[in-house]
Amino acid sequence: PAVYDSPALSIALRRVSPGALTSSGAKLEAVDGAGITIPADPRVKGRHGGPVTITLTSYHVGDRAKELPTVKYGVNRQLRPAPNDGASMPKDGAEAAQKEDRVDFFTTRTSMSWRGTVNVKVPGLHAQVPAHDRPWAPYGSEEELTFPEERAEVRREVEALVAVADAAERARGLRRLARKWHPDKNPDDLERATEVFAYVQELREALLPG
């Protein structure tokens, strides 16, 4: 499965065929230890009959995640399967598109919810959530990272801003942090400012996309 890890959340994703899902079930685990087990059950079927994309998003901010997101990504996506050898094509030459089936799980330290086009509410559905909010560090050892103390400080500041409910206040805080580390504001410490400023942008894009 594909995985993603950041200070605020971990994401795991995999795609399974409908036949494999009903006959063997599926398991998915995020980097922070959260996991989902979908049992093998003939009732676990999607609306559209195609491959099923399963995602697991595990929030590291505990119960501060009060409102989980509405799943919009992929809502209008359609899969266009490759034709089998010898299969006849429609007269207009276009292949029949198929709407995407998916189920998205969201976990916090104490809860789990799911949304999607696949009914997984069957006996045996199991969620494993982290026992506590784990400390997070970027990939690579401290020795491999440049300016680790500054990165840790910035990470703590960004995590605190992500938890701010007011979007305008959150944006102002991120702008202040970016100005603080902008290379133009630190001409006498250009290397450090450039590295940390880039890290601020990386965190902002990962935690607050769009």
Side-chain angles (χ1 to χ4, degrees):
V3 296
Y4 169 80
D5 195 33
S6 82
L9 55 85
S10 298
I11 300 173
L13 177 150
R14 69 179 298 187
R15 178 175 290 176
V16 297
S17 70
L21 190 58
T22 56
S23 64
S24 304
K27 291 185 178 180
L28 192 59
E29 185 170 335
V31 177
D32 66 348
I36 292 293
T37 300
I38 302 175
D41 192 306
R43 292 169 292 184
V44 182
K45 291 183 177 179
R47 297 176 188 170
H48 309 302
V52 178
T53 299
I54 305 169
T55 73
L56 169 61
T57 302
S58 176
Y59 290 89
H60 305 160
V61 291
D63 295 330
R64 285 179 288 172
K66 298 297 184 183
E67 295 184 8
L68 297 177
T70 300
V71 178
K72 294 182 179 179
Y73 46 90
V75 67
N76 296 317
R77 183 179 176 188
Q78 292 188 337
L79 305 177
R80 192 175 296 279
N84 296 325
D85 291 341
S88 59
M89 295 289 290
K91 293 181 180 179
D92 61 3
E95 301 168 29
Q98 185 177 55
K99 290 186 177 180
E100 182 182 33
D101 271 322
R102 65 183 301 134
V103 56
D104 301 272
F105 295 91
F106 304 92
T107 72
T108 69
R109 181 171 50 184
T110 59
S111 67
M112 185 274 283
S113 67
W114 64 273
R115 300 185 178 97
T117 63
V118 181
N119 179 23
V120 294
K121 194 174 182 180
V122 296
L125 179 67
H126 174 71
Q128 170 185 318
V129 300
H132 52 77
D133 296 343
R134 70 184 179 107
W136 182 90
Y139 289 118
S141 66
E142 289 295 308
E143 292 77 14
E144 294 171 340
L145 295 172
T146 56
F147 310 108
E149 293 181 2
E150 289 83 350
R151 286 172 181 260
E153 176 189 346
V154 163
R155 186 171 70 245
R156 286 191 294 268
E157 292 185 59
V158 172
E159 286 178 337
L161 288 168
V162 167
V164 173
D166 185 87
E169 182 181 348
R170 185 169 60 240
R172 284 193 296 270
L174 289 169
R175 284 196 296 270
R176 282 195 299 269
L177 186 60
R179 282 197 299 270
K180 174 183 176 181
W181 288 104
H182 197 285
D184 290 349
K185 300 288 186 181
N186 299 272
D188 297 329
D189 199 2
L190 196 58
E191 181 183 0
R192 185 175 69 149
T194 301
E195 289 282 344
V196 179
F197 178 77
Y199 186 55
V200 171
Q201 301 309 309
E202 176 186 332
L203 290 175
R204 184 190 64 78
E205 291 172 6
L207 301 180
L208 296 167

